[in-house]
Amino acid sequence: MAGTAGTPGTPRVLRAMNDRTALDLLLAHGPLSRTRIGKLTGLSKPTASQLLARLEAAGLVLATGTTEGRPGPNAQLYGVNPAAGYAAGLDVTPERVLAAVADLTGRTVGTYEVATPARKAAGAVVRQVTDALDGAVKAAGLTRDDVRRLVVATPGAFDPTTGRLRYASHLPGWHAPTLLDDLAAALPMPVEYENDVNLVAVAEQRLGAARGHEDFVLLWNEGGLGAALVLGGRLHRGWTGGAGEVGFLPVPGAPLVRQVRKANSGGFQELAGSQALPRLAREIGMNDVPSGPYTEAAATLLERAAAEDTVLHRLLLETYATRLATGLASLVSVLDPELVVLSGTALTAGGETLRVLVEAELADLAASRPKLVLGDVTAHPVLRGALESALAATRDEVFDTSR
């Protein structure tokens, strides 16, 4: 019916489109003057003034100051109102739940971490999640009701047909059949669940090394080995959410792992996962192999190897690079991506030295030659991806002025 809010080409829809364009520009560039917004949007000065007045009245933008250091009168600057909406993210591992709240500009305003016991039931999971969220909300000076959306990052993926967590048997308490219903009942905001490595790819695509790339593979190696597949700008999750679970990939150089769900491991994980690095270091004759958690030991070994150019350190890096390239070659041969991003401390700790070695090995093992880069988002990349995902949906809701 003509004249409704959803009819393309109506003044209300066109105004809403201009509003969203201006808000996105303010997010991308920071505070802007009316004249600058007009130039970037192509709107006339009167129309830009009307737009800003409308957004200011709606509580979406604020006057933030004036220009300085230029000839002529100072111009009023406008920015997105950070308090117009809040979103939250949770990064769940077997050891802890890390929560954060961000305002509409993307600035983190509160964080909180809850340690998790080795064994826990579904009820304990709900308490851990709500305690972590409440701690972050309190740190931000907010309440639960201020948060419009929550994205929870977990290893593995929730099967869309059953609602059960798959590919993550090492996450106790998260496999109860009613868990998602229990969490929905306990939380007042919409909640989405996403694979942790997929969210690292979201962070790299929006903030890091994959900006401007529509097709890329992100290889993650930290507590576990995994990948995210981005095709045509969108995450490819697969039928059950298992796309990217490359740790289960059978590869040359590692014995076949059967019943991989029960083992929660596969050939590529055994060949190149973080737990393989201390073992490899001992096999080649290193005596100063660090003890402790595999992830920390792997990162320490790689940092040393990249910094100390000895025969054994070089051998460690070269052997590890071959192992990584062995699994990557299968992905590259099938997907033919333009970019491969290496992320997670058991990759980034090797720095450019390891990246160059992996790229050279991959060029020998795969017909196509994608560019290899190190991930740029190194501070809690899973949590940052969860926040970016939650913020995208929150902004779509808050910035919609057509209603």
Side-chain angles (χ1 to χ4, degrees):
M1 182 171 64
T4 63
T7 303
T10 62
R12 177 177 291 184
V13 171
L14 293 175
R15 281 197 301 270
M17 292 171 63
N18 288 335
D19 290 349
R20 181 59 193 263
T21 298
L23 289 164
D24 286 341
L25 287 169
L26 290 172
L27 285 173
H29 299 283
L32 297 171
S33 67
R34 180 199 63 179
T35 301
R36 184 62 177 155
I37 290 173
K39 288 181 179 179
L40 291 171
T41 59
L43 299 175
S44 66
K45 288 184 179 180
T47 302
S49 296
Q50 293 171 5
L51 177 150
L52 285 169
R54 185 166 62 248
L55 294 179
E56 193 170 13
L60 296 178
V61 302
L62 296 171
T64 61
T66 58
T67 58
E68 296 180 358
R70 294 182 180 181
N74 294 339
Q76 181 68 62
L77 295 174
Y78 297 87
V80 170
N81 179 6
Y86 296 92
L90 264 68
D91 176 12
V92 179
T93 71
E95 296 78 29
R96 54 101 178 110
V97 179
L98 178 62
V101 176
D103 65 29
L104 207 58
T105 68
R107 183 174 65 96
T108 300
V109 293
T111 61
Y112 194 76
E113 182 174 327
V114 174
T116 59
R119 294 177 177 273
K120 55 181 180 288
V125 167
V126 174
R127 286 194 299 274
Q128 294 284 341
V129 167
T130 54
D131 286 352
L133 178 62
D134 287 344
V137 165
K138 182 179 179 180
L142 304 170
T143 68
R144 274 195 205 178
D145 290 337
D146 293 318
V147 177
R148 288 178 172 265
R149 186 169 297 268
L150 171 66
V151 171
V152 178
T154 67
F158 284 92
D159 190 318
T161 60
T162 66
R164 302 285 293 271
L165 185 66
R166 303 183 67 186
Y167 317 108
S169 60
H170 62 301
L171 201 62
W174 282 80
H175 300 84
T178 63
L179 177 61
L180 297 188
D181 290 335
D182 295 340
L183 286 168
L187 298 167
M189 74 289 293
V191 183
E192 297 178 8
Y193 300 87
E194 183 59 86
N195 173 261
D196 52 359
V197 184
N198 281 349
L199 290 172
V200 177
V202 169
E204 290 291 348
Q205 188 177 34
R206 296 183 182 172
L207 304 172
R211 280 177 295 182
H213 293 274
E214 292 289 304
D215 298 276
F216 69 93
V217 169
L218 180 136
L219 184 68
W220 169 265
N221 199 4
E222 201 156 286
L225 187 65
L229 317 176
V230 177
L231 307 173
R234 302 183 65 180
L235 283 166
H236 176 68
R237 296 176 175 86
W239 180 44
T240 64
E245 294 290 340
V246 296
F248 298 120
L249 187 70
V251 291
L256 283 175
V257 178
R258 300 187 183 276
Q259 296 183 330
V260 293
R261 292 185 191 174
K262 188 174 182 180
N264 196 40
S265 186
F268 196 20
Q269 179 69 42
E270 296 301 313
L271 186 71
S274 59
Q275 82 277 15
L277 267 165
R279 184 170 62 245
L280 173 60
R282 294 186 187 96
E283 288 174 356
I284 65 175
M286 285 187 172
N287 296 319
D288 57 343
V289 178
S291 58
Y294 286 133
T295 302
E296 296 174 14
T300 300
L301 283 167
L302 290 172
E303 288 172 357
R304 287 179 186 171
E308 303 174 21
D309 190 17
T310 68
V311 173
L312 287 181
H313 284 125
R314 185 72 180 178
L315 179 59
L316 178 71
L317 287 175
E318 289 175 347
T319 306
Y320 183 49
T322 300
R323 292 182 174 195
L324 290 168
T326 299
L328 271 175
S330 296
L331 296 177
V332 168
S333 297
V334 173
L335 298 173
D336 190 21
E338 59 178 319
L339 182 74
V340 173
V341 180
L342 303 180
S343 186
T345 55
L347 289 172
T348 57
E352 276 295 302
T353 305
L354 178 62
R355 185 201 66 79
V356 169
L357 289 169
V358 175
E359 189 172 55
E361 284 292 276
L362 188 59
D364 279 346
L365 298 176
S368 61
R369 296 188 177 184
K371 181 180 179 182
L372 261 68
V373 296
L374 296 172
D376 285 340
V377 183
T378 56
H380 300 299
V382 174
L383 184 61
R384 188 67 245 176
L387 285 173
E388 287 299 314
S389 182
L391 281 167
T394 300
R395 288 166 181 161
D396 285 344
E397 177 185 344
V398 174
F399 287 171
D400 184 2
T401 60
S402 66
R403 295 168 293 180

